[in-house]
Coordinates of all heavy atoms in Angstrom, one line a residue:
M216 N -58.3 58.2 35.4 CA -57.5 59.2 36.1 C -57.1 58.5 37.4 O -57.9 57.9 38.1 CB -58.4 60.4 36.4 CG -57.6 61.4 37.2 SD -58.6 62.7 37.9 CE -58.8 63.8 36.6
A217 N -55.8 58.7 37.8 CA -55.3 58.1 39.0 C -55.8 58.9 40.2 O -56.1 60.1 40.1 CB -53.8 58.2 39.0
R218 N -56.0 58.2 41.3 CA -56.5 58.8 42.5 C -55.3 59.1 43.4 O -54.7 58.3 44.0 CB -57.4 57.8 43.2 CG -58.7 57.6 42.5 CD -59.5 56.6 43.1 NE -59.5 56.7 44.6 CZ -60.0 55.7 45.4 NH1 -60.5 54.6 44.9 NH2 -59.9 55.9 46.7
W219 N -54.9 60.4 43.4 CA -53.7 60.8 44.2 C -54.2 61.8 45.3 O -55.2 62.5 45.1 CB -52.7 61.5 43.4 CG -52.1 60.7 42.3 CD1 -52.5 60.7 41.0 CD2 -51.2 59.7 42.4 NE1 -51.8 59.8 40.3 CE2 -51.0 59.1 41.2 CE3 -50.5 59.1 43.5 CZ2 -50.1 58.1 40.9 CZ3 -49.6 58.1 43.3 CH2 -49.4 57.6 42.0
G220 N -53.5 61.8 46.4 CA -53.8 62.8 47.5 C -53.5 64.2 47.0 O -52.8 64.4 46.0
R221 N -54.0 65.1 47.7 CA -53.8 66.5 47.3 C -52.3 66.9 47.3 O -51.6 66.6 48.3 CB -54.5 67.4 48.3 CG -54.4 68.9 47.9 CD -55.2 69.7 48.8 NE -56.6 69.4 48.5 CZ -57.6 70.0 49.1 NH1 -57.4 70.8 50.1 NH2 -58.9 69.7 48.7
G222 N -51.8 67.4 46.2 CA -50.4 67.9 46.2 C -49.5 66.8 45.8 O -48.3 67.0 45.7
H223 N -49.9 65.5 45.5 CA -49.0 64.4 45.2 C -48.8 64.4 43.7 O -49.7 64.5 42.9 CB -49.6 63.1 45.6 CG -48.8 61.9 45.3 ND1 -47.7 61.5 46.0 CD2 -48.8 61.1 44.2 CE1 -47.1 60.5 45.4 NE2 -47.8 60.2 44.3
T224 N -47.5 64.3 43.3 CA -47.1 64.2 41.9 C -46.7 62.8 41.7 O -45.9 62.2 42.4 CB -45.9 65.1 41.6 OG1 -46.3 66.5 42.0 CG2 -45.5 65.1 40.2
P225 N -47.3 62.2 40.6 CA -46.9 60.8 40.3 C -45.4 60.6 40.1 O -44.8 61.5 39.5 CB -47.7 60.5 39.1 CG -48.8 61.5 39.0 CD -48.3 62.7 39.7
T226 N -44.9 59.5 40.5 CA -43.5 59.2 40.3 C -43.2 58.9 38.8 O -43.9 58.0 38.3 CB -43.0 58.1 41.2 OG1 -43.3 58.5 42.6 CG2 -41.5 57.8 41.1
R227 N -42.2 59.5 38.2 CA -41.9 59.1 36.8 C -40.8 58.1 36.8 O -39.6 58.3 36.7 CB -41.4 60.4 36.1 CG -42.5 61.5 36.1 CD -42.0 62.7 35.4 NE -41.6 62.4 34.0 CZ -42.4 62.7 33.0 NH1 -43.5 63.4 33.1 NH2 -41.9 62.4 31.8
H228 N -41.2 56.8 37.0 CA -40.3 55.7 37.1 C -39.4 55.5 35.9 O -38.3 55.1 36.0 CB -41.1 54.4 37.4 CG -41.7 54.4 38.8 ND1 -40.9 54.1 39.9 CD2 -42.9 54.6 39.2 CE1 -41.7 54.2 41.0 NE2 -42.9 54.5 40.6
A229 N -39.9 55.8 34.7 CA -39.1 55.6 33.5 C -37.9 56.5 33.5 O -36.8 56.1 33.2 CB -39.9 55.9 32.2
D230 N -38.1 57.8 33.9 CA -37.0 58.8 34.0 C -36.0 58.4 35.1 O -34.8 58.5 35.0 CB -37.6 60.2 34.3 CG -38.4 60.7 33.2 OD1 -38.3 60.2 32.1 OD2 -39.2 61.7 33.5
K231 N -36.6 57.9 36.3 CA -35.7 57.5 37.4 C -34.8 56.3 37.0 O -33.6 56.2 37.3 CB -36.5 57.3 38.6 CG -37.1 58.6 39.2 CD -37.8 58.4 40.5 CE -38.4 59.7 40.9 NZ -37.5 60.5 41.7
A232 N -35.4 55.3 36.3 CA -34.7 54.1 35.9 C -33.6 54.5 34.9 O -32.5 54.0 35.0 CB -35.6 53.1 35.3
T233 N -33.9 55.4 34.0 CA -32.9 55.9 33.0 C -31.7 56.6 33.7 O -30.6 56.3 33.4 CB -33.6 56.8 31.9 OG1 -34.6 56.1 31.3 CG2 -32.5 57.3 31.0
W234 N -32.1 57.5 34.6 CA -31.0 58.2 35.4 C -30.1 57.2 36.1 O -28.9 57.3 36.1 CB -31.6 59.2 36.4 CG -30.6 60.0 37.0 CD1 -30.2 61.2 36.6 CD2 -29.8 59.7 38.2 NE1 -29.2 61.7 37.5 CE2 -29.0 60.8 38.5 CE3 -29.8 58.6 39.1 CZ2 -28.1 60.8 39.5 CZ3 -28.9 58.6 40.1 CH2 -28.1 59.7 40.4
M235 N -30.7 56.2 36.8 CA -29.9 55.2 37.5 C -29.0 54.4 36.6 O -27.9 54.1 37.0 CB -30.8 54.4 38.4 CG -31.3 55.1 39.6 SD -32.3 54.1 40.7 CE -33.8 53.8 39.8
R236 N -29.5 54.1 35.4 CA -28.6 53.3 34.5 C -27.4 54.2 34.0 O -26.4 53.6 33.8 CB -29.5 52.9 33.3 CG -30.3 51.7 33.6 CD -31.0 51.1 32.3 NE -31.7 50.0 32.6 CZ -33.0 50.0 32.9 NH1 -33.7 51.1 32.9 NH2 -33.7 48.8 33.2
D237 N -27.6 55.5 33.9 CA -26.5 56.4 33.5 C -25.6 56.7 34.7 O -24.5 57.2 34.5 CB -27.1 57.7 33.0 CG -27.8 57.5 31.7 OD1 -27.6 56.5 31.0 OD2 -28.6 58.4 31.3
H238 N -26.0 56.4 35.9 CA -25.3 56.7 37.2 C -25.2 55.4 38.0 O -25.7 55.4 39.1 CB -25.9 57.8 37.9 CG -26.0 59.1 37.2 ND1 -27.0 59.4 36.4 CD2 -25.1 60.1 37.1 CE1 -26.8 60.6 35.8 NE2 -25.6 61.0 36.2
R239 N -24.5 54.4 37.5 CA -24.5 53.1 38.1 C -23.9 53.2 39.6 O -23.0 54.0 39.8 CB -23.5 52.2 37.3 CG -23.6 50.8 37.7 CD -22.8 50.0 36.7 NE -22.9 48.6 37.0 CZ -22.6 47.6 36.2 NH1 -22.1 47.9 35.0 NH2 -22.7 46.4 36.5
F240 N -24.5 52.5 40.5 CA -24.2 52.4 41.9 C -24.5 53.6 42.7 O -24.2 53.7 43.9 CB -22.7 52.0 42.1 CG -22.4 50.7 41.5 CD1 -21.5 50.6 40.5 CD2 -22.9 49.5 42.0 CE1 -21.1 49.3 39.9 CE2 -22.6 48.2 41.5 CZ -21.7 48.2 40.4
E241 N -25.2 54.6 42.1 CA -25.5 55.8 42.9 C -27.0 55.7 43.3 O -27.9 55.4 42.5 CB -25.4 57.1 42.1 CG -23.9 57.4 41.8 CD -23.8 58.8 41.0 OE1 -24.6 59.7 41.4 OE2 -23.0 58.8 40.1
W242 N -27.2 55.9 44.6 CA -28.6 55.8 45.2 C -29.4 57.0 44.7 O -28.9 58.1 44.7 CB -28.5 55.8 46.7 CG -28.0 54.5 47.2 CD1 -26.7 54.3 47.7 CD2 -28.7 53.2 47.3 NE1 -26.6 53.0 48.1 CE2 -27.8 52.3 47.9 CE3 -30.0 52.8 47.0 CZ2 -28.1 51.0 48.1 CZ3 -30.3 51.5 47.3 CH2 -29.4 50.6 47.8
L243 N -30.7 56.8 44.4 CA -31.6 57.8 44.0 C -32.9 57.6 44.8 O -33.4 56.5 44.9 CB -31.9 57.7 42.5 CG -32.9 58.7 42.0 CD1 -32.4 60.1 42.1 CD2 -33.3 58.4 40.5
E244 N -33.4 58.7 45.3 CA -34.7 58.6 46.0 C -35.8 58.5 45.0 O -35.9 59.3 44.1 CB -35.0 59.9 46.8 CG -36.3 59.8 47.6 CD -36.5 61.0 48.5 OE1 -35.6 61.5 49.2 OE2 -37.6 61.6 48.4
I245 N -36.6 57.4 45.1 CA -37.7 57.1 44.1 C -38.9 57.9 44.5 O -39.4 58.7 43.8 CB -38.0 55.6 44.1 CG1 -36.7 54.8 43.7 CG2 -39.1 55.3 43.1 CD1 -36.1 55.2 42.4
A246 N -39.4 57.7 45.8 CA -40.6 58.4 46.2 C -40.8 58.1 47.7 O -40.2 57.1 48.2 CB -41.8 57.9 45.5
T247 N -41.6 58.9 48.4 CA -42.0 58.6 49.7 C -43.5 58.3 49.7 O -44.3 59.0 49.1 CB -41.8 59.9 50.6 OG1 -40.4 60.2 50.7 CG2 -42.3 59.6 52.0
Y248 N -43.8 57.1 50.2 CA -45.2 56.6 50.2 C -45.8 56.7 51.6 O -45.1 56.3 52.6 CB -45.2 55.1 49.7 CG -44.6 54.9 48.3 CD1 -43.3 54.7 48.1 CD2 -45.5 55.0 47.2 CE1 -42.8 54.6 46.8 CE2 -45.0 54.8 45.9 CZ -43.6 54.6 45.8 OH -43.1 54.5 44.5
P249 N -47.0 57.2 51.7 CA -47.6 57.3 53.0 C -47.9 56.0 53.7 O -47.9 55.9 54.9 CB -48.9 58.1 52.7 CG -49.1 58.2 51.3 CD -47.8 57.8 50.6
A250 N -48.1 55.0 52.9 CA -48.4 53.6 53.4 C -47.2 52.7 53.2 O -46.7 52.6 52.0 CB -49.7 53.1 52.8
A251 N -46.8 52.0 54.2 CA -45.7 51.0 54.1 C -46.0 50.0 53.0 O -45.1 49.6 52.3 CB -45.4 50.4 55.4
Y252 N -47.2 49.6 52.9 CA -47.6 48.6 51.8 C -47.3 49.1 50.4 O -46.8 48.4 49.6 CB -49.1 48.2 52.0 CG -49.6 47.3 50.9 CD1 -49.3 46.0 50.9 CD2 -50.2 47.9 49.8 CE1 -49.7 45.2 49.8 CE2 -50.7 47.1 48.7 CZ -50.4 45.7 48.8 OH -50.8 44.9 47.7
S253 N -47.6 50.4 50.2 CA -47.3 51.0 48.9 C -45.8 51.0 48.6 O -45.4 50.7 47.5 CB -47.9 52.4 48.8 OG -49.3 52.4 49.0
A254 N -45.0 51.3 49.6 CA -43.6 51.3 49.4 C -43.1 49.9 49.1 O -42.2 49.7 48.2 CB -42.9 51.8 50.7
Q255 N -43.6 48.9 49.8 CA -43.2 47.5 49.5 C -43.6 47.1 48.1 O -42.9 46.3 47.4 CB -43.8 46.6 50.5 CG -43.1 46.7 51.9 CD -41.6 46.5 51.8 OE1 -41.0 45.6 51.1 NE2 -40.8 47.4 52.4
C256 N -44.7 47.5 47.6 CA -45.1 47.2 46.2 C -44.1 47.8 45.2 O -43.8 47.2 44.3 CB -46.6 47.7 45.9 SG -47.8 46.8 46.7
A257 N -43.7 49.1 45.5 CA -42.7 49.7 44.7 C -41.4 49.0 44.7 O -40.8 48.7 43.7 CB -42.5 51.2 45.1
V258 N -41.0 48.5 45.9 CA -39.7 47.8 46.1 C -39.8 46.5 45.2 O -38.8 46.2 44.5 CB -39.5 47.5 47.6 CG1 -38.4 46.4 47.7 CG2 -39.0 48.7 48.3
H259 N -40.9 45.8 45.3 CA -41.0 44.5 44.5 C -41.0 44.8 43.0 O -40.4 44.0 42.3 CB -42.3 43.8 44.9 CG -42.2 43.1 46.3 ND1 -41.3 42.2 46.6 CD2 -42.9 43.4 47.4 CE1 -41.4 41.8 47.9 NE2 -42.4 42.5 48.4
G260 N -41.6 45.9 42.6 CA -41.5 46.2 41.2 C -40.2 46.6 40.7 O -39.7 46.2 39.7
I261 N -39.4 47.4 41.5 CA -38.1 47.8 41.2 C -37.1 46.6 41.1 O -36.3 46.5 40.2 CB -37.6 48.9 42.1 CG1 -38.4 50.1 42.0 CG2 -36.1 49.1 41.9 CD1 -38.2 51.2 43.1
R262 N -37.2 45.7 42.1 CA -36.4 44.5 42.1 C -36.8 43.5 41.0 O -36.1 42.6 40.7 CB -36.5 43.8 43.4 CG -35.8 44.6 44.5 CD -35.9 43.8 45.8 NE -35.3 44.6 46.9 CZ -35.3 44.2 48.2 NH1 -36.0 43.1 48.5 NH2 -34.7 44.9 49.1
G263 N -38.0 43.7 40.4 CA -38.4 42.8 39.3 C -39.1 41.6 39.8 O -39.3 40.7 39.1
G264 N -39.4 41.6 41.1 CA -40.0 40.4 41.7 C -41.5 40.3 41.6 O -42.1 39.4 42.1
A265 N -42.1 41.4 41.0 CA -43.6 41.4 40.9 C -44.0 41.7 39.5 O -44.2 42.9 39.1 CB -44.1 42.5 41.9
P266 N -44.0 40.7 38.6 CA -44.3 41.0 37.2 C -45.6 41.7 37.0 O -45.8 42.3 36.0 CB -44.3 39.6 36.6 CG -44.0 38.6 37.6 CD -43.8 39.3 38.9
S267 N -46.6 41.5 37.9 CA -47.9 42.2 37.7 C -47.8 43.6 38.1 O -48.7 44.4 37.9 CB -48.9 41.5 38.5 OG -48.7 41.5 39.9
N268 N -46.7 44.1 38.7 CA -46.6 45.4 39.2 C -46.3 46.3 38.0 O -45.4 46.0 37.2 CB -45.4 45.5 40.2 CG -45.3 46.8 40.8 OD1 -45.2 47.8 40.2 ND2 -45.2 46.8 42.2
K269 N -47.0 47.4 37.9 CA -46.9 48.3 36.7 C -45.6 48.9 36.5 O -45.2 49.3 35.4 CB -48.0 49.3 36.7 CG -49.4 48.7 36.5 CD -50.5 49.8 36.6 CE -51.8 49.2 36.4 NZ -52.9 50.2 36.4
I270 N -44.8 49.1 37.6 CA -43.6 49.8 37.5 C -42.4 48.9 37.1 O -41.3 49.3 36.7 CB -43.2 50.6 38.7 CG1 -42.9 49.8 39.9 CG2 -44.3 51.7 39.0 CD1 -42.3 50.5 41.1
A271 N -42.6 47.6 37.2 CA -41.6 46.6 37.0 C -41.0 46.7 35.6 O -39.8 46.4 35.4 CB -42.1 45.2 37.3
R272 N -41.8 47.1 34.6 CA -41.3 47.1 33.3 C -40.2 48.1 33.1 O -39.4 48.0 32.1 CB -42.5 47.5 32.3 CG -43.0 48.9 32.6 CD -44.2 49.2 31.7 NE -44.9 50.4 32.3 CZ -46.1 50.8 31.9 NH1 -46.7 50.1 31.0 NH2 -46.6 51.8 32.5
Y273 N -40.0 49.1 33.9 CA -38.9 50.1 33.8 C -37.6 49.6 34.4 O -36.6 50.2 34.1 CB -39.4 51.4 34.5 CG -40.6 52.0 33.9 CD1 -41.7 52.1 34.8 CD2 -40.7 52.4 32.6 CE1 -42.9 52.7 34.3 CE2 -41.9 52.9 32.1 CZ -43.0 53.1 32.9 OH -44.2 53.6 32.4
Y274 N -37.7 48.6 35.3 CA -36.5 48.2 36.1 C -36.0 46.9 35.7 O -35.3 46.2 36.6 CB -36.9 48.3 37.5 CG -37.2 49.7 38.0 CD1 -38.6 50.1 38.2 CD2 -36.3 50.7 38.2 CE1 -38.9 51.4 38.6 CE2 -36.6 51.9 38.6 CZ -37.9 52.3 38.8 OH -38.3 53.5 39.2
G275 N -36.2 46.4 34.5 CA -35.7 45.1 34.2 C -34.2 45.1 33.8 O -33.6 46.1 33.6
P276 N -33.6 43.9 33.7 CA -34.1 42.6 34.1 C -34.1 42.5 35.7 O -33.5 43.3 36.4 CB -33.1 41.6 33.6 CG -31.8 42.4 33.5 CD -32.2 43.8 33.3
A277 N -34.8 41.5 36.1 CA -35.0 41.2 37.6 C -33.6 41.1 38.2 O -32.7 40.5 37.6 CB -35.7 40.0 37.8
G278 N -33.4 41.8 39.3 CA -32.1 41.8 40.0 C -31.1 42.9 39.5 O -30.0 43.0 40.1
A279 N -31.5 43.7 38.6 CA -30.6 44.7 38.1 C -30.5 46.0 39.0 O -29.6 46.8 38.9 CB -30.9 45.2 36.7
F280 N -31.5 46.1 39.9 CA -31.6 47.2 40.8 C -31.6 46.7 42.3 O -32.3 45.7 42.6 CB -32.8 48.1 40.5 CG -32.8 48.8 39.2 CD1 -33.1 48.2 38.0 CD2 -32.4 50.1 39.2 CE1 -33.1 48.9 36.8 CE2 -32.3 50.8 38.0 CZ -32.7 50.2 36.8
E281 N -31.0 47.5 43.2 CA -31.1 47.3 44.6 C -32.0 48.3 45.2 O -32.1 49.4 44.6 CB -29.8 47.4 45.3 CG -28.9 46.3 45.1 CD -27.6 46.5 45.9 OE1 -27.1 47.6 46.1 OE2 -27.1 45.5 46.4
T282 N -32.7 48.0 46.3 CA -33.5 49.0 47.0 C -33.2 49.0 48.5 O -32.6 48.1 49.0 CB -35.0 48.7 46.8 OG1 -35.3 47.4 47.4 CG2 -35.4 48.7 45.4
R283 N -33.6 50.1 49.1 CA -33.6 50.3 50.5 C -34.7 51.2 50.9 O -35.1 52.0 50.1 CB -32.2 50.8 51.0 CG -31.9 52.2 50.7 CD -30.6 52.7 51.2 NE -30.4 54.1 50.9 CZ -29.3 54.7 50.8 NH1 -28.2 54.0 50.9 NH2 -29.2 56.0 50.6
T284 N -35.2 51.1 52.1 CA -36.3 51.9 52.5 C -35.9 52.6 53.8 O -35.0 52.1 54.6 CB -37.6 51.1 52.8 OG1 -37.4 50.1 53.8 CG2 -38.1 50.5 51.5
E285 N -36.6 53.7 54.1 CA -36.3 54.5 55.2 C -37.7 55.1 55.7 O -38.4 55.6 55.0 CB -35.4 55.7 54.9 CG -35.1 56.7 55.9 CD -34.3 57.9 55.4 OE1 -33.9 57.9 54.2 OE2 -34.0 58.7 56.2
T286 N -37.9 54.9 57.0 CA -39.1 55.4 57.6 C -38.9 56.9 58.0 O -37.9 57.2 58.6 CB -39.5 54.6 58.9 OG1 -39.7 53.3 58.5 CG2 -40.8 55.1 59.5
T287 N -39.8 57.7 57.5 CA -39.8 59.2 57.8 C -41.1 59.6 58.4 O -42.0 58.9 58.5 CB -39.5 59.9 56.5 OG1 -40.6 59.8 55.6 CG2 -38.3 59.4 55.7
D288 N -41.1 60.9 58.7 CA -42.4 61.5 59.2 C -43.5 61.5 58.2 O -44.7 61.4 58.5 CB -42.2 62.9 59.7 CG -41.3 63.0 60.9 OD1 -41.2 62.0 61.6 OD2 -40.7 64.1 61.1
M289 N -43.1 61.4 56.9 CA -44.1 61.5 55.8 C -44.5 60.1 55.4 O -45.4 60.0 54.5 CB -43.5 62.2 54.6 CG -43.2 63.7 54.9 SD -44.6 64.7 55.4 CE -45.4 64.7 53.9
G290 N -43.9 59.0 55.8 CA -44.2 57.7 55.4 C -42.9 56.8 55.3 O -42.0 56.9 56.1
T291 N -42.9 56.1 54.2 CA -41.7 55.2 53.9 C -41.1 55.7 52.6 O -41.8 55.7 51.5 CB -42.2 53.8 53.8 OG1 -42.8 53.4 55.0 CG2 -41.0 52.9 53.5
T292 N -39.8 56.0 52.6 CA -39.1 56.5 51.4 C -38.4 55.3 50.8 O -37.7 54.6 51.5 CB -38.1 57.6 51.8 OG1 -38.9 58.7 52.4 CG2 -37.4 58.1 50.6
V293 N -38.5 55.2 49.5 CA -37.8 54.1 48.8 C -36.6 54.8 48.0 O -36.8 55.8 47.3 CB -38.8 53.4 47.8 CG1 -38.0 52.4 46.9 CG2 -39.9 52.8 48.5
H294 N -35.5 54.2 48.2 CA -34.3 54.5 47.4 C -33.9 53.3 46.6 O -34.1 52.2 47.0 CB -33.1 54.9 48.3 CG -33.3 56.1 49.1 ND1 -34.0 56.1 50.3 CD2 -33.0 57.4 48.9 CE1 -34.0 57.3 50.8 NE2 -33.4 58.1 50.0
A295 N -33.3 53.6 45.4 CA -32.8 52.5 44.6 C -31.5 52.9 43.9 O -31.2 54.0 43.8 CB -33.9 52.1 43.5
R296 N -30.8 51.8 43.4 CA -29.6 52.1 42.6 C -29.5 50.9 41.6 O -29.9 49.8 41.8 CB -28.4 52.2 43.4 CG -27.9 50.9 44.1 CD -26.7 51.2 44.9 NE -26.2 50.0 45.6 CZ -25.1 49.9 46.2 NH1 -24.3 51.0 46.3 NH2 -24.8 48.8 46.9
Y297 N -28.9 51.2 40.4 CA -28.7 50.3 39.4 C -27.3 49.6 39.7 O -26.3 50.3 39.9 CB -28.6 51.0 38.0 CG -28.4 50.1 36.9 CD1 -29.3 49.1 36.5 CD2 -27.2 50.2 36.2 CE1 -29.0 48.3 35.4 CE2 -26.9 49.3 35.1 CZ -27.9 48.4 34.7 OH -27.6 47.6 33.6
I298 N -27.3 48.3 39.7 CA -26.1 47.5 39.9 C -25.7 46.7 38.7 O -24.6 46.1 38.8 CB -26.2 46.6 41.2 CG1 -27.4 45.6 41.0 CG2 -26.4 47.5 42.4 CD1 -27.4 44.6 42.1
G299 N -26.4 46.7 37.7 CA -26.0 46.0 36.5 C -27.0 44.8 36.3 O -28.2 44.9 36.4
G300 N -26.3 43.7 35.9 CA -27.1 42.4 35.7 C -27.8 41.9 36.9 O -27.6 42.4 38.0
P301 N -28.5 40.8 36.7 CA -29.2 40.2 37.8 C -28.3 39.6 38.9 O -27.2 39.2 38.5 CB -30.0 39.0 37.2 CG -29.6 39.0 35.7 CD -28.8 40.1 35.4
V302 N -28.7 39.7 40.1 CA -27.9 39.2 41.2 C -28.1 37.7 41.2 O -29.2 37.2 41.2 CB -28.4 39.8 42.5 CG1 -27.6 39.2 43.7 CG2 -28.2 41.3 42.5
T303 N -27.0 36.9 41.3 CA -27.0 35.5 41.4 C -26.7 35.0 42.7 O -26.1 35.6 43.5 CB -26.1 34.9 40.3 OG1 -24.8 35.3 40.5 CG2 -26.6 35.2 38.9

């Protein structure tokens, strides 16, 4: 069982990746992470730069998604969008 804070719903990365592929170039909020480190782990997984990251499997191939982060009162929010093939 995953260890989540009270009231936290796990992010459904498979659903989010599918939505972004259907809506190319549109930004989507992935999740807000209370710790900046957790947000950076998600960013690396989405960009495909962290093969050991469990969410990376939903966002392949590497470079097909862009990310941006925003600091909020609740932590660090990660946004992503599908841009197509890998960035060269």
Side-chain angles (χ1 to χ4, degrees):
M216 178 193 281
R218 293 175 40 194
W219 299 104
R221 181 175 291 180
H223 177 81
T224 302
T226 303
R227 298 180 59 104
H228 289 283
D230 295 341
K231 291 185 182 267
T233 299
W234 186 93
M235 287 185 286
R236 283 189 176 92
D237 291 340
H238 299 89
R239 192 175 185 163
F240 298 116
E241 291 185 40
W242 289 101
L243 177 66
E244 182 177 314
I245 302 302
T247 299
Y248 298 89
Y252 173 79
S253 298
Q255 287 305 313
C256 288
V258 164
H259 288 297
I261 292 167
R262 290 182 181 172
S267 63
N268 189 306
K269 292 181 181 180
I270 68 168
R272 63 184 168 193
Y273 302 117
Y274 298 101
F280 290 85
E281 281 185 326
T282 60
R283 68 180 185 207
T284 59
E285 175 185 1
T286 303
T287 67
D288 291 339
M289 300 297 291
T291 304
T292 301
V293 175
H294 294 85
R296 69 179 178 175
Y297 178 69
I298 58 171
V302 177
T303 57

